[in-house]
Amino acid sequence: MQLKEETTTTTTNGSGNEKKDFPKEFVDSYKQIKWNGWGDTRKFLHTLSPSGQIAITTPKKSAEPLPGLKPFILKELAGGNGQSELEDTPSIEFDNIQIDPPKSNPEFLKELKAFFLSDQLKDDKFARITHTFGKSIRDLVRTRIGQIKYAPDLIVLPHSHEEVEKLVQTANKFNVVIIPYGGGSNIVGAVEPISNERFTVSVDMRRMNKILWVDRREMTACIQVGILGPDLERELAKSGVSMGHDPDSFEFSTLGGWLATCSSGHQSDKYGDIEDMAVSFKTVTPTGTLELRNGARAGAGINYKHIILGSEGTLGIITEAIMKVHPLPPVAEYYGFLFPSFAHAVSALEQIRSTDIIPTMIRIYDPDETRLSFASKPSKGAFTEFMSAAVKKYLHYIRSYDFNNVCLSIIGFEGSKKSVDFAKAHVFDILAKNSAFSLGTSPGKTWGEKRYDLPYIRDFVLDHNMWVDVAETTVSWANLIPLWKDAKAAFKEHFRAQGVPAWICAHISHTYSNGVCLYFIFVSKQNAEKEMTPYIQAKRLMTDIVMKYGGALSHHHGVGYEHVPWMNRYVSNGWITVYRKLKETLDPNNICNPRKLIPTLQEENHQTPYLFDVLNVKKAKL
Amino acid sequence: MQLKEETTTTTTNGSGNEKKDFPKEFVDSYKQIKWNGWGDTRKFLHTLSPSGQIAITTPKKSAEPLPGLKPFILKELAGGNGQSELEDTPSIEFDNIQIDPPKSNPEFLKELKAFFLSDQLKDDKFARITHTFGKSIRDLVRTRIGQIKYAPDLIVLPHSHEEVEKLVQTANKFNVVIIPYGGGSNIVGAVEPISNERFTVSVDMRRMNKILWVDRREMTACIQVGILGPDLERELAKSGVSMGHDPDSFEFSTLGGWLATCSSGHQSDKYGDIEDMAVSFKTVTPTGTLELRNGARAGAGINYKHIILGSEGTLGIITEAIMKVHPLPPVAEYYGFLFPSFAHAVSALEQIRSTDIIPTMIRIYDPDETRLSFASKPSKGAFTEFMSAAVKKYLHYIRSYDFNNVCLSIIGFEGSKKSVDFAKAHVFDILAKNSAFSLGTSPGKTWGEKRYDLPYIRDFVLDHNMWVDVAETTVSWANLIPLWKDAKAAFKEHFRAQGVPAWICAHISHTYSNGVCLYFIFVSKQNAEKEMTPYIQAKRLMTDIVMKYGGALSHHHGVGYEHVPWMNRYVSNGWITVYRKLKETLDPNNICNPRKLIPTLQEENHQTPYLFDVLNVKKAKL
């Protein structure tokens, strides 16, 4: 787990847990990840001197060059205006950030201090700043310029379900806002305090990182939900099992965050989305704890777990979950394929999906993201190996590939050797009939190693006067290509009309019988004032187009406050009324993550602007 | 569909629907099924004279003998006390039933009559009696002796979503109780009016039986939920697709009933339970209609469909649903296997389930139900064919089968030829290693033809002074054999102690990674007063044992009022509080199927007895 097990004492805290479970000195997760960027402090992109090449440094490897990346950024992202250098826009230094002191609430703190150990309660500047935001572009820009308006007044780091119960009860008694904080990787504003009217606690769940039991017979595990992805899978692997949930945020997100936001992992086509894996969980609400029984599928009334899945901390805090697991797959094979065009790739995907033999994962990058993918590889790698002049000629003349349209696809198979071989033969047959060209396992291997790296590139881009954001949705087969075309064209036209460089790409990352997850990544230059208007306009544009094509408001990022303006259009008004009653019932004082998920009545009636439009950055130099 | 399309007129009703959609003369479904028993009026078991053999008559075949059934009933069900004839306990004649006249509510009726056609509103004795109960043993006994206390005052047969909206609004205005009535096959009391305090409408949904569209690309269909199973699959088949939902009640239950009760079909291992098939649906509540968008999986907030799935009409009436479908499987193969014992069969099942290649269906009958299964076949059939003296000898001496312990299993594979062949080879290999003996496809074929017949046998047993009931649950692998043993032993001991003949069997019908559905069928003799106490005691006994082993309160029958006494033990009190608020929000006047699903506060506080204990039959001769 995250905690360094150095020394222990036997002091007990108010919940009766012996402190020996919690070593005296350890490094909390929030101290190990960047306060002003994504991920591990020891992993970052930087420019090599004197070559000017971009390189990546990781805990394992120092300054590995990414030779294709700078030319790609200059040519494609920055608009290809002939400039040879990137513009530096460095982050503020931590010491130069000013935040308001924590609000005073001595009675509340007195009760907490009687129950929690002092090192479970933090209100230093570092803890407060690192628990203010998630990792959206808006979050990073505001952090990087030091515009931190509403830092939480206190960070509480509970160790157990009972401690969360005590915390929530006490907060409710003193009308204190509580915001559950998992890995803080959320990019839709779900963890951000949105006013300073009330004392606000960010509840960092990451010390609740134990696997309580693994049942290999029923293939279930009971898990404290503050556990991070790598810790979860490492500990499960000791019992020979895996949960198989592998979202982009895997390294820095928690089980609780996955449950609260309806997360989905790369291999969801085989292992399901997070709701399929969840058997049951405990949720602490201000009016009491909702518990659910263990056991397989039942048909005895409404299944309560679905009230909490996707509630994003607005109804309470999930503490422990029983999750389905499966034996560690003996075989896991990931292959790369090239298609002559996105339409070819989508057609092959739809043909595969219409059969009853489905791979574990099919990712398809559109031509733009294919180029990004190759440009961000450490060496020329697989692409060059396979795209030798001869192969190139063959593909071009014999198979009529147009290299501007080539799409990379990563297709994975996991399971028993028998089932992998069977599915592979079936899928490869369909691929062959659809002009796919195999690149072997090398691109799959590279994907496996680099699949969490894109946010590090985003940090680098932010360092150089550009911003990056994403929009993802679930869209029907019929609307997939139209949405892909229309959204990309509209985005490009929007910025072209303003004369601002901008770039957009997309990939398909999850498939269903009735559609796919389509994921856009878009980049533009900061405007002169370095404020968020270009981002807000682009996000509005993209979300409106998604809605126009009947897409989901989100496939797996959630709602937070970023998607609230579209909720009335996305879900029925009837449901919003029901949700409000649910909220009133479970959280009568509205202390649980207020103003997230559903518009307030004031927002709905245009008496208050949406946070989406308000939380801007004005006249600030990046 | 069910309606005979004879003549049409162009009269419109209040919803603006042209009457030509609804032929002038037709036979509503409720007129085609038995008022005092299960299923098709033209299908029943009876005794042949002079042989005394039991036979079955169906619309296709008259008086087909079931030679093994009478000896089996006499020996096993009736206690084997040497009697050679069954005791006759015929049903009351319809004309001899007395019910109270419908309550008066002229204002309400006036509003309905202004909107609905006269043939959509029924209050004749036949309509009222056939909409009073479902088909539980308690329902059938009360019908057969004419003890019908609270018949609905009116039956409304809506044709459209808009008509249901009008009905629900009007009912809410006049504080009229509304109970959605699908096929009426429910066996836990879900459709029964439970008092005569308020005017009560049974809403027969079966005229809403149209498929509104089929989308073969997205593999979805939009369907009016009053459609019965056979109509649904026949109409879908015209588009080359199937929903694949095939519960025991298939012939006489509706899509709406399946959704409202969390139904599960025989092939759920492949096609999922009803909640997996449901994309979205419209639900009319007294405070408005909940609508949901079409589209594949999303992660943008709480998924409202799960509030309605399993709500059993207590929050509103589902009217239209978008359901996932799949191509009609080109191959469907069902095989019979014999195992030396239930433990052998369960072990093989668990081994199959622990791999990543699962059949479409695995049913395992315990030794008692295996004997029932063979005893109720039209000829000696497959069993005899295969169990020739030679095979018998081989099995007995070489493979050590004990015929008292033999278990029949039906294992099915559906899909493409490729995937069926692959799964079959894998599963057959595991079966061979677990002492399974193949009977080929003949038992599978018989199962396919006879799979809906058990309730007809129940009617025959009721005709002969016995009662039959069932209990089903989802239980973990670890508790499966202990629950099976303990429940059977406790049931037998309970009646042995009273000196009353009784019989119990069980089968496994659905499998999950973390357990199976275990389904008990039990039979006993009526007691001298012909009242329900023996049933109520047995049902309490069985449900208590299920709870003791951590089983689900129901796997797919639902809650109704029969399972309400266990709900506080089964779900958390927190959730019951939340449900009550949901109910208050959507149905503030409690007009939607009151006293179902969750105990009332009065029941919970023991101020009112549970309906389960109250709705008894006293001193009545069957």
Side-chain angles (χ1 to χ4, degrees):
Chain A
M1 314 278 164
Q2 291 296 304
L3 314 185
K4 272 193 202 163
E5 301 200 0
E6 292 185 56
T7 59
T8 64
T9 78
T10 54
T11 317
T12 59
N13 67 9
S15 71
N17 288 310
E18 287 206 6
K19 182 156 173 185
K20 69 179 175 192
D21 283 338
F22 312 109
K24 194 175 168 192
E25 284 183 40
F26 55 80
V27 180
D28 273 307
S29 301
Y30 72 90
K31 295 178 182 167
Q32 298 176 313
I33 60 179
K34 295 195 193 85
W35 63 271
N36 62 348
W38 179 266
D40 192 325
T41 49
R42 300 163 300 167
K43 183 168 176 179
F44 48 90
L45 273 68
H46 51 100
T47 306
L48 294 177
S49 188
S51 73
Q53 267 194 344
I54 299 171
I56 185 163
T57 285
T58 70
K60 288 183 181 168
K61 204 165 189 176
S62 183
E64 184 180 22
L66 308 172
L69 191 54
K70 189 166 171 191
F72 181 84
I73 293 177
L74 285 170
K75 184 182 165 209
E76 303 225 12
L77 308 198
N81 299 319
Q83 78 267 38
S84 62
E85 285 311 320
L86 299 164
E87 192 180 342
D88 283 337
T89 50
S91 163
I92 194 171
E93 295 292 325
F94 184 78
D95 290 344
N96 294 336
I97 300 178
Q98 304 288 329
I99 56 171
D100 293 337
K103 280 184 283 300
S104 171
N105 199 334
E107 293 299 312
F108 172 64
L109 288 173
K110 193 180 158 197
E111 276 208 33
L112 286 197
K113 282 175 181 165
F115 193 82
F116 288 92
L117 299 169
S118 61
D119 97 331
Q120 295 182 274
L121 308 171
K122 310 268 187 190
D123 67 356
D124 60 278
K125 180 181 163 191
F126 187 81
R128 293 177 63 216
I129 286 177
T130 53
H131 289 84
T132 301
F133 297 130
K135 299 293 184 190
S136 76
I137 182 63
R138 196 198 297 247
D139 297 339
L140 295 183
V141 168
R142 286 181 296 170
T143 306
R144 290 168 58 91
I145 62 174
Q147 284 202 357
I148 297 178
K149 209 168 165 187
Y150 305 131
D153 300 296
L154 179 71
I155 320 307
V156 178
L157 299 119
H159 296 159
S160 69
H161 169 79
E162 292 69 27
E163 290 186 8
V164 176
E165 283 188 325
K166 175 67 182 177
L167 171 63
V168 172
Q169 285 157 11
T170 312
N172 197 39
K173 181 173 162 189
F174 290 99
N175 195 25
V176 160
V177 167
I178 46 172
I179 303 176
Y181 199 95
S185 65
N186 186 276
I187 59 169
V188 292
V191 298
E192 181 176 345
I194 46 67
S195 89
N196 58 5
E197 286 165 18
R198 290 186 281 176
F199 192 93
T200 298
V201 173
S202 182
V203 188
D204 186 323
M205 299 294 290
R206 284 170 286 189
R207 287 189 189 179
M208 287 185 61
N209 61 0
K210 287 188 187 53
I211 293 184
L212 302 174
W213 50 258
V214 176
D215 186 333
R216 275 199 50 99
R217 187 162 187 194
E218 315 299 337
M219 279 291 154
T220 47
C222 188
I223 306 160
Q224 288 186 318
V225 303
I227 197 165
L228 293 163
D231 298 331
L232 170 64
E233 285 293 336
R234 188 190 60 246
E235 293 303 307
L236 287 178
K238 290 177 184 169
S239 300
V241 300
S242 165
M243 207 171 87
H245 189 73
D246 181 27
D248 287 339
S249 63
F250 177 78
E251 293 176 294
F252 304 102
S253 56
T254 63
L255 173 56
W258 302 338
L259 292 166
T261 60
C262 286
S263 174
S264 183
H266 294 121
Q267 293 83 10
S268 67
D269 291 8
K270 182 174 177 93
Y271 303 122
D273 302 302
I274 198 73
E275 64 271 26
D276 303 312
M277 300 173 183
V279 173
S280 150
F281 35 80
K282 289 189 190 173
T283 310
V284 179
T285 81
T287 52
T289 291
L290 294 174
E291 313 228 13
L292 199 66
R293 58 180 296 287
N294 193 3
R297 191 263 182 186
I302 300 162
N303 188 340
Y304 125 87
K305 79 175 184 184
H306 293 285
I307 305 286
I308 302 301
L309 281 160
S311 64
E312 301 190 10
T314 65
L315 303 177
I317 301 181
I318 308 167
T319 56
E320 294 170 9
I322 299 176
M323 303 298 295
K324 291 185 192 169
V325 296
H326 56 266
L328 277 169
V331 176
E333 297 179 6
Y334 285 77
Y335 294 86
F337 282 87
L338 291 181
F339 287 94
S341 73
F342 195 56
H344 277 87
V346 166
S347 174
L349 174 63
E350 193 174 350
Q351 288 167 51
I352 292 166
R353 213 37 255 208
S354 72
T355 71
D356 56 356
I357 306 158
I358 312 289
T360 300
M361 185 189 89
I362 311 184
R363 280 176 88 80
I364 297 173
Y365 301 95
D366 79 354
D368 294 299
E369 193 162 344
T370 297
R371 288 197 308 283
L372 168 62
S373 175
F374 286 119
S376 56
K377 290 203 185 330
S379 68
K380 289 181 180 175
F383 195 61
T384 314
E385 281 169 38
F386 287 89
M387 304 303 277
S388 65
V391 173
K392 235 172 166 170
K393 200 173 251 172
Y394 163 76
L395 288 175
H396 185 57
Y397 290 105
I398 311 300
R399 306 187 70 164
S400 310
Y401 271 49
D402 171 351
F403 285 99
N404 290 322
N405 289 330
V406 162
C407 285
L408 174 66
S409 176
I410 307 291
I411 303 184
F413 304 88
E414 296 191 359
S416 60
K417 182 166 188 326
K418 198 194 276 188
S419 68
V420 164
D421 286 348
F422 175 68
K424 217 166 57 177
H426 170 77
V427 169
F428 284 7
D429 190 43
I430 296 175
L431 292 173
K433 288 173 183 150
N434 283 271
S435 313
F437 180 72
S438 173
L439 302 176
T441 55
S442 164
K445 193 163 168 284
T446 306
W447 173 80
E449 289 163 1
K450 302 289 174 185
R451 68 189 187 276
Y452 308 128
D453 283 3
L454 219 48
Y456 293 97
I457 301 179
R458 178 177 64 158
D459 281 352
F460 182 83
V461 166
L462 270 170
D463 277 338
H464 295 91
N465 203 28
M466 286 170 275
W467 58 264
V468 185
D469 198 31
V470 299
E472 43 80 57
T473 186
T474 325
V475 63
S476 66
W477 293 106
N479 286 340
L480 168 54
I481 294 281
L483 171 60
W484 171 72
K485 277 190 180 160
D486 199 0
K488 290 185 77 173
F491 177 86
K492 282 188 271 194
E493 174 54 25
H494 172 79
F495 284 99
R496 197 204 54 74
Q498 300 181 17
V500 179
W503 182 86
I504 183 166
C505 68
H507 64 261
I508 293 168
S509 54
H510 308 259
T511 76
Y512 302 90
S513 57
N514 50 342
V516 303
C517 171
L518 181 62
Y519 194 114
F520 295 98
I521 304 173
F522 38 94
V523 184
S524 178
K525 213 176 169 178
Q526 276 296 348
N527 67 359
E529 294 78 23
K530 314 295 178 203
E531 45 91 47
M532 298 300 299
T533 303
Y535 154 74
I536 291 173
Q537 285 175 350
K539 176 81 183 168
R540 271 213 178 274
L541 178 82
M542 294 300 288
T543 312
D544 285 342
I545 294 172
V546 160
M547 292 287 99
K548 179 182 150 197
Y549 282 102
L553 188 48
S554 169
H555 170 264
H556 59 272
H557 284 165
V559 179
Y561 65 76
E562 293 279 303
H563 290 138
V564 163
W566 289 268
M567 279 300 266
N568 286 77
R569 230 196 298 175
Y570 180 64
V571 300
S572 75
N573 284 330
W575 169 240
I576 288 182
T577 306
V578 173
Y579 166 82
R580 287 189 183 127
K581 285 286 178 183
L582 264 177
K583 170 93 172 154
E584 268 176 49
T585 304
L586 293 169
D587 178 24
N589 299 321
N590 191 25
I591 65 164
C592 294
N593 208 6
R595 287 194 76 178
K596 307 295 168 64
L597 204 62
I598 300 277
T600 62
L601 283 169
Q602 291 72 27
E603 283 168 336
E604 200 171 272
N605 299 329
H606 307 290
Q607 297 158 336
T608 312
Y610 291 112
L611 291 172
F612 176 83
D613 295 310
V614 172
L615 296 173
N616 207 340
V617 176
K618 294 288 181 196
K619 313 282 176 201
K621 186 77 184 166
L622 267 179
Chain B
M1 315 280 166
Q2 292 295 305
L3 315 185
K4 272 193 201 162
E5 301 199 1
E6 291 184 57
T7 58
T8 63
T9 77
T10 53
T11 318
T12 59
N13 67 9
S15 71
N17 287 311
E18 285 206 7
K19 179 152 176 189
K20 70 178 176 191
D21 283 336
F22 312 109
K24 194 176 167 192
E25 284 183 39
F26 54 81
V27 180
D28 273 305
S29 301
Y30 72 90
K31 294 179 182 166
Q32 298 176 313
I33 60 179
K34 295 195 192 84
W35 63 273
N36 62 347
W38 179 265
D40 192 326
T41 49
R42 299 162 303 169
K43 183 168 177 179
F44 48 90
L45 273 69
H46 50 100
T47 306
L48 294 176
S49 185
S51 72
Q53 267 194 343
I54 299 171
I56 185 164
T57 286
T58 71
K60 288 182 181 166
K61 204 163 189 178
S62 182
E64 183 180 24
L66 307 172
L69 191 55
K70 190 168 173 188
F72 180 84
I73 292 177
L74 285 169
K75 184 181 165 210
E76 302 225 14
L77 308 197
N81 299 320
Q83 78 268 39
S84 62
E85 286 310 320
L86 298 165
E87 191 180 340
D88 283 336
T89 50
S91 164
I92 193 171
E93 296 291 326
F94 184 79
D95 289 343
N96 295 336
I97 300 179
Q98 304 288 329
I99 56 172
D100 293 336
K103 280 185 284 300
S104 171
N105 199 335
E107 293 300 311
F108 171 66
L109 287 174
K110 193 179 156 200
E111 275 208 32
L112 285 196
K113 283 175 182 165
F115 194 83
F116 289 92
L117 300 169
S118 61
D119 99 329
Q120 295 182 275
L121 308 172
K122 311 268 186 189
D123 66 358
D124 60 278
K125 179 180 163 190
F126 187 82
R128 292 178 63 216
I129 285 177
T130 51
H131 289 84
T132 301
F133 297 131
K135 299 293 184 190
S136 77
I137 182 64
R138 196 199 296 248
D139 297 338
L140 294 182
V141 168
R142 287 181 295 170
T143 307
R144 290 168 58 91
I145 62 176
Q147 285 202 357
I148 298 177
K149 209 169 166 189
Y150 305 131
D153 300 296
L154 179 70
I155 320 306
V156 178
L157 299 119
H159 297 159
S160 68
H161 170 78
E162 292 69 29
E163 289 186 8
V164 175
E165 284 188 325
K166 176 68 182 177
L167 171 63
V168 173
Q169 285 157 11
T170 312
N172 197 40
K173 180 173 163 188
F174 290 98
N175 194 23
V176 161
V177 167
I178 47 172
I179 302 176
Y181 199 95
S185 64
N186 187 277
I187 59 171
V188 291
V191 298
E192 182 176 346
I194 47 68
S195 89
N196 59 4
E197 286 164 19
R198 289 186 282 175
F199 192 93
T200 297
V201 173
S202 181
V203 188
D204 187 323
M205 298 294 289
R206 284 171 286 189
R207 288 189 188 178
M208 286 184 61
N209 61 0
K210 287 188 188 51
I211 294 185
L212 302 174
W213 50 257
V214 176
D215 186 333
R216 274 199 51 99
R217 186 161 187 194
E218 315 299 337
M219 279 293 155
T220 47
C222 187
I223 306 160
Q224 287 186 319
V225 303
I227 197 164
L228 293 163
D231 298 332
L232 171 64
E233 285 294 334
R234 188 189 59 246
E235 293 302 306
L236 286 178
K238 290 177 184 169
S239 300
V241 300
S242 165
M243 207 171 87
H245 188 74
D246 181 27
D248 287 340
S249 64
F250 177 77
E251 292 175 297
F252 304 102
S253 55
T254 63
L255 173 56
W258 302 339
L259 292 166
T261 61
C262 286
S263 173
S264 184
H266 294 120
Q267 294 83 10
S268 67
D269 291 7
K270 183 177 177 88
Y271 303 122
D273 302 302
I274 198 73
E275 64 271 25
D276 304 311
M277 299 173 184
V279 173
S280 151
F281 35 80
K282 289 188 189 173
T283 310
V284 179
T285 81
T287 52
T289 292
L290 294 174
E291 313 230 12
L292 198 66
R293 59 179 297 288
N294 193 3
R297 190 263 181 187
I302 300 161
N303 188 340
Y304 124 87
K305 79 176 186 186
H306 293 286
I307 305 285
I308 301 301
L309 281 159
S311 63
E312 301 190 10
T314 64
L315 303 178
I317 301 181
I318 307 167
T319 57
E320 295 170 9
I322 299 177
M323 303 298 294
K324 290 184 194 171
V325 296
H326 56 266
L328 277 168
V331 176
E333 297 179 5
Y334 285 77
Y335 294 85
F337 282 88
L338 292 181
F339 288 94
S341 74
F342 195 57
H344 277 86
V346 165
S347 173
L349 174 63
E350 193 173 351
Q351 288 167 51
I352 292 167
R353 212 38 252 209
S354 71
T355 71
D356 57 355
I357 306 158
I358 312 289
T360 300
M361 185 189 90
I362 311 183
R363 282 177 85 82
I364 297 173
Y365 300 95
D366 79 354
D368 293 299
E369 192 162 345
T370 297
R371 288 197 308 282
L372 167 62
S373 176
F374 286 118
S376 55
K377 290 201 186 331
S379 70
K380 290 182 179 177
F383 195 61
T384 315
E385 281 168 36
F386 286 88
M387 303 302 279
S388 66
V391 173
K392 237 174 163 169
K393 200 174 250 174
Y394 163 75
L395 288 176
H396 186 57
Y397 290 104
I398 310 299
R399 306 188 68 165
S400 311
Y401 271 48
D402 172 350
F403 285 99
N404 290 323
N405 289 330
V406 163
C407 285
L408 174 66
S409 176
I410 307 292
I411 303 184
F413 304 86
E414 296 191 0
S416 60
K417 181 164 189 325
K418 197 195 278 188
S419 69
V420 164
D421 287 348
F422 175 68
K424 217 166 60 179
H426 169 77
V427 169
F428 284 7
D429 190 44
I430 296 175
L431 293 173
K433 287 173 184 150
N434 283 271
S435 313
F437 180 73
S438 173
L439 302 176
T441 55
S442 164
K445 193 164 169 285
T446 307
W447 173 81
E449 289 163 0
K450 301 287 174 190
R451 69 189 186 276
Y452 309 128
D453 283 4
L454 219 49
Y456 293 97
I457 300 178
R458 179 177 64 158
D459 281 353
F460 182 83
V461 166
L462 270 171
D463 276 338
H464 295 92
N465 204 27
M466 287 170 274
W467 57 264
V468 186
D469 198 31
V470 298
E472 43 80 57
T473 185
T474 325
V475 63
S476 66
W477 292 107
N479 285 340
L480 168 54
I481 295 282
L483 171 60
W484 171 72
K485 276 190 180 158
D486 198 0
K488 290 184 78 171
F491 177 87
K492 282 188 272 195
E493 174 54 26
H494 172 80
F495 284 100
R496 197 205 54 75
Q498 301 180 16
V500 179
W503 183 86
I504 183 167
C505 68
H507 65 261
I508 292 168
S509 54
H510 308 258
T511 76
Y512 302 90
S513 56
N514 51 341
V516 303
C517 171
L518 181 62
Y519 194 115
F520 295 98
I521 304 172
F522 38 94
V523 184
S524 178
K525 213 176 170 178
Q526 276 297 348
N527 67 0
E529 293 79 23
K530 314 295 178 205
E531 46 89 52
M532 297 303 298
T533 303
Y535 154 74
I536 290 173
Q537 287 174 349
K539 177 81 184 166
R540 271 211 178 275
L541 177 81
M542 293 300 288
T543 312
D544 285 342
I545 294 172
V546 160
M547 293 286 100
K548 179 181 150 199
Y549 283 101
L553 187 49
S554 169
H555 171 265
H556 59 272
H557 284 164
V559 180
Y561 65 75
E562 292 278 305
H563 289 138
V564 163
W566 289 269
M567 278 301 264
N568 287 75
R569 228 195 300 174
Y570 180 64
V571 299
S572 76
N573 284 331
W575 169 240
I576 289 182
T577 306
V578 174
Y579 167 82
R580 287 186 183 131
K581 284 287 177 179
L582 263 177
K583 170 93 170 154
E584 269 176 48
T585 304
L586 292 169
D587 179 24
N589 299 321
N590 190 25
I591 65 165
C592 293
N593 209 6
R595 286 194 77 176
K596 308 294 168 63
L597 204 60
I598 300 278
T600 62
L601 284 168
Q602 291 74 26
E603 284 169 337
E604 201 171 271
N605 300 329
H606 307 290
Q607 296 159 336
T608 312
Y610 290 112
L611 292 171
F612 175 85
D613 294 310
V614 171
L615 296 173
N616 206 340
V617 175
K618 295 286 180 198
K619 313 281 178 203
K621 187 77 183 163
L622 267 178

